[in-house]
Amino acid sequence: IRKISVGPDYKGGAMHYIVGQKVLGDTNEIHLIKLDAVKQSIKIYIINDKAEVVLWKEFTSTIPISIEYNINI
């Protein structure tokens, strides 16, 4: 997954999360966006400058989510 948008209004009110995006005051970067098939949720992992990867956010299917995948042609 390359990008997710969370919220009911894609253009006006959704939050957008993209792999490589700086977060938390530019101290971390989104490292991975992954589907958890068991919990039916989307998990966002971040990485800091010490190469520590941690789970940052998790969204369940109760929230509208739009998913963009990496497409290598």
Side-chain angles (χ1 to χ4, degrees):
I1 298 174
R2 184 189 82 78
K3 173 184 176 181
I4 65 167
S5 301
V6 180
D9 180 14
Y10 182 84
K11 287 186 176 182
M15 293 295 298
H16 305 280
Y17 301 97
I18 305 167
V19 172
Q21 175 182 352
K22 297 286 187 180
V23 294
L24 299 174
D26 290 344
T27 60
N28 292 269
E29 179 178 300
I30 295 177
H31 178 67
L32 176 69
I33 302 173
K34 182 177 179 181
L35 173 65
D36 183 330
V38 174
K39 292 178 75 176
Q40 290 297 304
S41 65
I42 302 286
K43 294 182 177 182
I44 300 177
Y45 293 86
I46 58 174
I47 188 168
N48 62 21
D49 58 353
K50 297 175 186 171
E52 298 169 326
V53 177
V54 295
L55 177 61
W56 182 44
K57 292 183 181 255
E58 182 174 8
F59 298 100
T60 62
S61 59
T62 60
I63 303 170
I65 297 173
S66 174
I67 300 173
E68 275 187 35
Y69 296 94
N70 287 324
I71 298 176
N72 299 320
I73 298 175

